[in-house]
Amino acid sequence: MKFTAHNILLDNGEKTMGDSVVLLGESAVWQSILKSLDLFLPGTREERSKMRVVDLGCLEGGYAVEFAKLGFDTLGIEAREENIQNCNYVKDNLNLPNLNFVRDDVRNMSNYGKFDIVLCYGLLYHLDDPTDFLKIVSSCTTRLLFLNTHFAPEFDIRYELEPLNTYFIAPLQKRTRILLFSQNYRLSRITKVNGYRGRWMKEWSRNSNKATIEKLLWASYNNHRSFWLCKKDLTQALHDANFDNVFEQFDYTGDLMPHNYTFFYNRTMFVGVKN
Ligand SMILES: C[S@@+](CC[C@H](N)C(=O)[O-])C[C@H]1O[C@@H](n2cnc3c(N)ncnc32)[C@H](O)[C@@H]1O
């Protein structure tokens, strides 16, 4: 089995990505989730065992594993066959009966009931309908949402030059890093979807076949392009979806990049809390 991102310690001592990669459970990203969890929803193991968690677009299941280890009744939802096989391998090699995975599109999450905690990491920016999806998420969340996502910059001259950027500037910046003040994602010009501002990002060619899409293990699944909301619009969408309190959490960048991570990668972590 080949793991691409989640280094998970299994019961037999095996690490899914070996010794050279930090264990997910020891990463700054997980530690920031844990800290926020203890802050907003402190509880004993017994209390937690009565709560449900869903990990959306769970990839290899690493975050779901950590929630299950805390005692939560945990479900990981993942669209891709190869990823879900890795999740099930992890499950088979851990004594965690409260850990489960299902292969499905996250847009169907309401078929699995309500959840106290929703983890939406590295997923929202792979959807073409993020504001509709946040409404689905909210309708399934009773307490907490952890959302780690890219957002679209409001101003970036490169994206105003759409084809010139896509075919000339972006490849040049990739090779040389010239004037690379922030990552160049080849986004579109600013546009509105459902009244919210953002930019489109091409995930794969519209004509890609199933086999090709299956191989893109980290990409979108049922949509060939995704819509990245501007940060202001994203916070507004979270409020509009009935998250009463929206916080931004910065601690997760610890072992990724100490300075400037949010600006350079147009990425942040939100915590949505329901009253
Ligand atoms: C960038 S990876 C992030 C994985 C993981 N959440 C993390 O933060 O490490 C995106 C994941 O979402 C999955 N995914 C993308 N679109 C999906 C969809 N519509 N339904 C279910 N899973 C999806 C991908 O297969 C991939 O595993």
Side-chain angles (χ1 to χ4, degrees):
M1 312 235 84
K2 188 170 178 301
F3 283 71
T4 59
H6 294 179
N7 199 12
I8 305 163
L9 180 62
L10 304 177
D11 284 347
N12 63 6
E14 181 201 340
K15 292 176 186 164
T16 54
M17 295 185 75
D19 288 324
S20 56
V21 180
V22 68
L23 283 172
L24 185 144
E26 292 170 4
S27 66
V29 179
W30 171 251
Q31 294 303 321
S32 70
I33 295 171
L34 201 53
K35 280 205 289 189
S36 306
L37 184 62
D38 288 338
L39 190 64
F40 291 112
L41 202 55
T44 62
R45 194 180 170 85
E46 205 203 324
E47 284 163 345
R48 286 177 167 175
S49 70
K50 295 183 191 112
M51 295 184 198
R52 299 188 73 215
V53 174
V54 66
D55 179 1
L56 302 171
C58 62
L59 188 64
E60 292 147 355
Y63 293 104
V65 166
E66 294 305 321
F67 276 109
K69 281 196 204 156
L70 295 174
F72 292 103
D73 178 5
T74 306
L75 178 70
I77 304 181
E78 169 58 48
R80 283 195 167 74
E81 178 57 28
E82 191 173 327
N83 291 339
I84 208 78
Q85 280 177 13
N86 280 342
C87 291
N88 287 326
Y89 173 77
V90 167
K91 178 175 167 59
D92 290 346
N93 284 280
L94 288 171
N95 183 18
L96 290 171
N98 54 331
L99 173 66
N100 288 292
F101 295 103
V102 64
R103 185 177 178 201
D104 205 344
D105 191 307
V106 291
R107 296 173 180 94
N108 299 324
M109 70 179 286
S110 56
N111 292 345
Y112 303 94
K114 293 213 187 279
F115 298 90
D116 298 273
I117 301 164
V118 174
L119 185 80
C120 185
Y121 263 45
L123 173 86
L124 192 73
Y125 59 88
H126 287 304
L127 302 178
D128 57 357
D129 49 2
T131 54
D132 286 343
F133 183 65
L134 284 175
K135 287 187 186 139
I136 298 175
V137 168
S138 180
S139 70
C140 298
T141 311
T142 57
R143 293 166 190 230
L144 266 184
L145 166 67
F146 295 120
L147 172 66
N148 191 315
T149 185
H150 285 295
F151 53 85
E154 288 191 23
F155 308 103
D156 191 325
I157 182 74
R158 295 170 301 181
Y159 299 140
E160 302 311 313
L161 308 170
E162 235 174 278
L164 186 65
N165 183 50
T166 303
Y167 299 109
F168 180 70
I169 300 173
L172 183 72
Q173 286 196 312
K174 198 171 169 200
R175 269 205 321 276
T176 62
R177 299 184 71 81
I178 285 176
L179 297 175
L180 195 63
F181 54 90
S182 79
Q183 190 69 293
N184 192 333
Y185 294 103
R186 305 180 197 210
L187 303 178
S188 72
R189 296 190 180 103
I190 287 268
T191 179
K192 280 190 180 179
V193 170
N194 294 339
Y196 297 90
R197 290 168 318 148
R199 299 178 189 270
W200 289 104
M201 204 207 63
K202 183 178 169 189
E203 297 260 357
W204 26 267
S205 157
R206 196 191 284 266
N207 308 320
S208 299
N209 61 34
K210 261 285 180 241
T212 304
I213 297 164
E214 279 294 338
K215 279 195 211 114
L216 301 170
L217 297 177
W218 294 10
S220 66
Y221 197 68
N222 285 316
N223 44 287
H224 76 282
R225 60 177 190 164
S226 44
F227 191 64
W228 291 24
L229 292 161
C230 292
K231 195 168 174 187
K232 241 190 255 174
D233 300 69
L234 175 52
T235 49
Q236 184 63 49
L238 283 163
H239 285 125
D240 293 346
N242 289 331
F243 285 98
D244 310 291
N245 311 276
V246 179
F247 298 85
E248 197 170 355
Q249 223 275 21
F250 293 102
D251 304 349
Y252 76 96
T253 57
D255 56 15
L256 296 170
M257 187 195 270
H259 304 298
N260 224 10
Y261 184 91
T262 295
F263 175 78
F264 189 84
Y265 289 105
N266 301 144
R267 186 163 184 149
T268 194
M269 167 177 173
F270 289 109
V271 184
V273 187
K274 292 219 164 166
N275 286 343

